Amino acid sequence: MTTSRRTALAAMLATGIAPAAFAQTPATWPGSQPVTLIVPFPPGGSTDLIARTLQPKLQEQLGGTWIVENRAGATGTVGAGVVARAPADGHTLLVSSLGPFVIAPHLIKVNYDALKDLDPISVVVQAPNVLVVPAASAHKSLADVLVHLKAKPGQMTFASSGNGSSDHLTAELFWQQTGTSGVHVPYKGGGPAMQDLLGAQVDGSFMNINTALPQIRAGKLRALAITADRRSPLLPDVPTLKESGIAGVDVYSWQAMAGPRGMPAELKNRLRAAIATALGDAAIRPKLLELGFEIVASTPEQFAAFQAAEYVRWQKLISDRNIKAD
């Protein structure tokens, strides 16, 4: 064994990374072995959409064969655990929403450390939530909702897709920041929650803009406020909570890519650059924007800092509000 190879092997062993993970150089990756994008949710949702949008573009730019595999279970943590335990060679990657990264670890027992076992690559897109009520609701504005919540504490019902979901946590944060209280009504998924909201069986919800937009456009839901830091070009007449005087409720659902801990920086940067190029494609960017997504394409370093901040933010809210899993 040459001195240089012996030194490289020693360095790998010192970091606890198996030498097999570096069988290829980042420059020759992915080679003949397929790259699997693990989506930790069933087909058909926003995460699946983002993964399947990226897959052909990444294959086109980086070569090799790219596969999307849905590994659903335990609010996304089954698929995240699969990636966390995979070799750090760039052939098994996670495409997921925020849950497995920053929320689920505070609610259920998971078999990975979200901050230590997953290597951040890029936050791909983000989308705010929207406070919506049925079209026939007496609440015509955010001010109406606040008056009602303060006059009749604990009576207005808010639907969510489940305990610990983004729409649930947004409602809890909203009540916390406004000093009000409502009734959380958790459903087993977004579909049943939407059905009862459209039927006025519940009073409102902080739904993701991607989910709510078709019903808002159809005149079946009324949008009262958005959780973004600025108004959405898709809903220009809908104020942000911030401009309405409610601070600290800037909330986005985001989709990101990560790999097993120990991926070479060069490989992560190649992936991030390819993601940015794909999101700038004239056939992709307008469609994502029309669906309510905002393009992010953050660097690995930016994603790492963002994840750490989000992890602490949701950990504190879950603890302060005594939120439990289903």
Side-chain angles (χ1 to χ4, degrees), residues 103-114:
I103 295 175
H106 308 308
L107 292 170
I108 63 174
K109 185 177 181 179
V110 300
N111 61 357
Y112 62 94
D113 186 316

Side-chain angles (χ1 to χ4, degrees), residues 169-191:
L169 296 185
T170 303
E172 295 282 355
L173 192 58
F174 174 74
W175 297 328
Q176 182 184 70
Q177 295 301 101
T178 57
T180 61
S181 63
V183 178
H184 173 226
V185 183
Y187 289 82
K188 292 189 180 298

Side-chain angles (χ1 to χ4, degrees), residues 281-302:
D281 189 285
I284 291 177
R285 186 180 183 89
K287 292 180 180 178
L288 292 178
L289 295 177
E290 182 62 21
L291 289 172
F293 291 109
E294 299 176 12
I295 307 300
V296 181
S298 64
T299 66
E301 295 78 16
Q302 290 169 334

Side-chain angles (χ1 to χ4, degrees), residues 37-39 46-55 57-58 66 93-98 101 120-127 252-259 268 271-280 284-285 288-289 292-300 302-304 306:
L37 300 179
I38 299 288
V39 174
S46 294
T47 303
D48 189 61
L49 170 67
I50 295 302
R52 293 182 189 280
T53 298
L54 290 175
Q55 178 263 330
K57 293 299 179 181
L58 296 179
W66 292 66
L93 303 171
L94 177 68
V95 178
S96 177
S97 59
L98 69 167
F101 288 112
I121 295 170
S122 183
V123 175
V124 181
V125 294
Q126 64 181 15
Y252 291 86
S253 294
W254 41 270
Q255 315 289 336
M257 180 183 288
K268 291 187 291 183
L271 276 162
R272 183 266 167 182
I275 289 169
T277 299
L279 295 174
I284 291 177
R285 186 180 183 89
L288 292 178
L289 295 177
F293 291 109
E294 299 176 12
I295 307 300
V296 181
S298 64
T299 66
Q302 290 169 334
F303 181 16
F306 175 70

Side-chain angles (χ1 to χ4, degrees), residues 66-203:
W66 292 66
I67 301 166
V68 175
E69 180 180 336
N70 297 88
R71 295 287 293 268
T75 64
T77 61
V78 170
V82 169
V83 175
R85 296 188 299 273
D89 58 6
H91 289 96
T92 306
L93 303 171
L94 177 68
V95 178
S96 177
S97 59
L98 69 167
F101 288 112
V102 298
I103 295 175
H106 308 308
L107 292 170
I108 63 174
K109 185 177 181 179
V110 300
N111 61 357
Y112 62 94
D113 186 316
L115 296 179
K116 295 180 179 179
D117 296 337
L118 295 171
D119 225 340
I121 295 170
S122 183
V123 175
V124 181
V125 294
Q126 64 181 15
N129 291 342
V130 184
L131 174 58
V132 289
V133 296
S137 172
H139 305 309
K140 308 298 183 184
S141 67
L142 176 61
D144 290 344
V145 170
L146 290 171
V147 167
H148 180 76
L149 287 171
K150 291 175 180 178
K152 298 180 178 181
Q155 291 192 26
M156 184 173 177
T157 53
F158 286 72
S160 84
S161 56
N163 286 317
S165 59
S166 173
D167 37 5
H168 174 206
L169 296 185
T170 303
E172 295 282 355
L173 192 58
F174 174 74
W175 297 328
Q176 182 184 70
Q177 295 301 101
T178 57
T180 61
S181 63
V183 178
H184 173 226
V185 183
Y187 289 82
K188 292 189 180 298
M194 175 65 81
Q195 183 176 352
D196 272 10
L197 185 62
L198 292 173
Q201 301 302 305
V202 285
D203 298 320

